Amino acid sequence: METELICLAVAAIGGLLMSRVTKLLNLPAVTAYLVAGLLLGPYCIGALGIPGMGFGSMEMVEAQSILTKTALGFIAFSMGNEFRLSQLKSMGGKAIFIGVAQAVVTTLLVDAVLIFVHLLFPRILTLSSALVLGAIAAATAPAATLMVVRQYKADGPMTRLLMLVVAIDDAVGLLLFSVSFGIATALESGAVSVAGVVVEPIVEIVLSLGLGALMGIVLNQVERLFHSRSRRMTISVAFVLLTVGLSMLEFTICGIHCGFSLLLVCMMTGTVFCNICDTSQELMERVERWTVPLNVLFFVISGAELDLQVLANPMTLLVGVIYIAARSAGKYLGTYSSCKTVKCSETITKHLGITLLPQAGVALGMALTATALPGGALVRNVVLFSVLVYELVGPALTKRSLLQAGEIRPEGKTSARTINKEKPPVNIH
């Protein structure tokens, strides 16, 4: 236990120290945390076997999954703050159209390219693997995007649209993957499961939205019982933890597997709470400040999870490079064309697609499911390789796009240390 605590402390400190280095290079702090995790992971410092200094094995990294899931829950809860009715009325229709269109275009383009690769090299890439990789390509990582937006205090029409699109992308990606995985399974087994292809993904989305809405309503009612800011923040944190725990439940009804999407549940909780609680804005800001250390650990651990062994397989690298090129083109072209269709501004049309490139946890979860297919090991390794590339490059590209769109306020103009010195002492009497 003491070794794990020391390891987590070293991870947090290492991530923060690395952020001082990346700041000199004008890179986002998210990149620093990921690089720190990579260095502390089992393929670098962790391999030395010094207790407390890094993660010595992948099993040790995976043991921190409860911490990463909790952090992801808080990130999703914060994203629910973007779905205020005022926002939805002004750009909800555009966000839904762009979110669906770019995901579908990306899946179709990656499918087409990888099916062509399958026809050329059928022994390397199976048809079922090509279809599944196409669906996984639709998924976007909300965590890295949100952290870049927070760090640079980005705000404006593109930033607000981006947050809505990223949130919608999770539900669309879940549907696309479930359908593609069902078709891939049918190709391998010769039997089509209607429950697996159609019913189960819809049930998961409906259950997730329902549980999230219920938790948001209950949180609002319980929060009214307390008046001090610290207690209201505590009850908000407790409810997010409870929501994360409930979203991990799985059960079967009439032969249909039922589960929840952690991102959708927590996002819906935040959305409902923010729209019915008068003081939600102030509470959300306090919760976000409370979770800063948790978010640092989330990205450091995510960096430690990046498997460098995939770089040793030439076939993984080949298919991975093709996958990354096709996915990047699909995200950009899908977003560009859908933005043109709904008549977004030229700035949004030109830059929004680049901000949707980061890919991480959701894609890895899908890839883990795909390992059940013949050739599923290649799918997992290709996704691991793409996550390695996108997680290290994606945040910087997101920052660049937001900067070019004129929606980033420069960071670091003031020092909290200086401000605190200038403040007069508080009279507690």
Side-chain angles (χ1 to χ4, degrees):
M1 183 66 72
E2 62 273 15
T3 302
E4 287 194 15
L5 284 174
I6 294 171
C7 185
L8 289 176
V10 169
I13 295 169
L16 290 173
L17 291 176
M18 184 60 69
S19 70
R20 305 308 300 171
V21 177
T22 56
K23 189 172 183 178
L24 298 174
L25 303 173
N26 289 320
L27 293 173
V30 175
T31 304
Y33 305 149
L34 291 165
V35 171
L38 203 58
L39 294 175
L40 292 170
Y43 302 104
C44 198
I45 295 174
L48 299 176
I50 303 173
M53 291 299 293
F55 302 93
S57 65
M58 276 298 177
E59 289 74 20
M60 189 174 177
V61 179
E62 290 167 1
Q64 312 301 325
S65 63
I66 185 63
L67 194 151
T68 56
K69 286 181 179 179
T70 300
L72 199 56
F74 277 103
I75 289 168
F77 181 70
S78 295
M79 290 188 70
N81 194 32
E82 304 299 324
F83 283 85
R84 292 181 178 272
L85 289 177
S86 56
Q87 291 277 76
L88 294 175
K89 288 177 182 177
S90 61
M91 58 178 64
K94 288 184 179 181
I96 292 172
F97 180 82
I98 295 170
V100 174
Q102 58 83 24
V104 172
V105 169
T106 301
T107 296
L108 293 177
L109 182 58
V110 174
D111 275 343
V113 171
L114 293 183
I115 288 173
F116 180 71
V117 173
H118 160 72
L119 294 175
L120 292 177
F121 309 103
R123 293 185 178 180
I124 296 175
L125 183 67
T126 64
L127 180 57
S128 58
S129 296
L131 291 174
V132 169
L133 279 170
I136 293 174
T140 299
T145 304
L146 180 63
M147 291 302 290
V148 172
V149 169
R150 280 185 185 172
Q151 179 186 351
Y152 295 103
K153 301 178 179 64
D155 190 28
M158 190 174 96
T159 302
R160 291 191 287 271
L161 182 61
L162 167 63
M163 300 307 293
L164 292 174
V165 171
V166 169
I168 291 166
D169 186 84
D170 185 53
V172 179
L174 177 63
L175 273 174
L176 289 172
F177 176 76
S178 298
V179 172
S180 295
F181 184 71
I183 294 172
T185 304
L187 288 173
E188 297 296 339
S189 65
V192 179
S193 171
V194 177
V197 175
V198 180
V199 179
E200 287 185 2
I202 293 176
V203 167
E204 181 171 336
I205 291 173
V206 171
L207 286 177
S208 299
L209 295 178
L211 176 61
L214 176 62
M215 294 303 291
I217 293 169
V218 176
L219 170 58
N220 178 59
Q221 294 301 317
V222 175
E223 181 267 338
R224 292 172 184 268
L225 301 176
F226 302 93
H227 302 287
S228 72
R229 290 178 176 177
S230 59
R231 290 180 179 178
R232 287 164 60 227
M233 186 192 73
T234 301
I235 201 66
S236 299
V237 170
F239 257 80
V240 176
L241 293 175
L242 177 60
T243 304
V244 171
L246 291 174
S247 68
M248 296 180 190
L249 297 176
E250 296 182 1
F251 49 92
T252 302
I253 299 178
C254 299
I256 297 174
H257 175 264
C258 300
F260 302 94
S261 164
L262 185 150
L263 283 174
L264 283 181
V265 173
C266 293
M267 210 178 295
M268 191 63 177
T269 301
T271 299
V272 172
F273 177 67
C274 287
N275 280 289
I276 62 178
C277 178
D278 296 334
T279 58
S280 62
Q281 188 68 48
E282 178 258 342
L283 263 177
M284 294 292 275
E285 290 174 359
R286 292 176 67 83
V287 170
E288 286 171 13
R289 287 197 294 270
W290 183 87
T291 57
V292 169
L294 189 63
N295 291 335
V296 173
L297 283 173
F298 170 77
F299 286 104
V300 173
I301 294 171
S302 296
E305 285 178 329
L306 299 176
D307 191 345
L308 297 183
Q309 286 183 326
V310 298
L311 301 178
N313 189 329
M315 288 300 99
T316 298
L317 295 180
L318 175 63
V319 178
V321 168
I322 295 171
Y323 169 83
I324 289 172
R327 180 181 181 271
S328 301
K331 283 289 180 183
Y332 185 81
L333 294 175
T335 306
Y336 186 92
S337 57
S338 56
C339 284
K340 279 283 188 184
T341 302
V342 295
K343 296 180 172 56
C344 290
S345 68
E346 189 63 31
T347 300
I348 293 176
T349 302
K350 185 178 179 181
H351 297 293
L352 184 62
I354 300 297
T355 63
L356 298 175
L357 291 182
Q359 188 174 46
V362 176
L364 289 174
M366 293 176 177
L368 187 62
T369 303
T371 54
L373 294 170
L378 178 65
V379 173
R380 179 180 177 275
N381 289 337
V382 167
V383 174
L384 281 170
F385 173 62
S386 72
V387 166
L388 176 64
V389 173
Y390 280 127
E391 282 292 85
L392 295 177
V393 177
L397 292 176
T398 300
K399 176 198 170 184
R400 181 175 176 272
S401 294
L402 291 171
L403 197 60
Q404 291 185 341
E407 299 193 4
I408 279 184
R409 288 162 51 189
E411 184 200 32
K413 295 296 183 183
T414 59
S415 168
R417 188 183 298 277
T418 303
I419 290 172
N420 288 336
K421 280 183 179 180
E422 293 173 352
K423 282 183 179 179
V426 178
N427 187 350
I428 61 174
H429 303 294

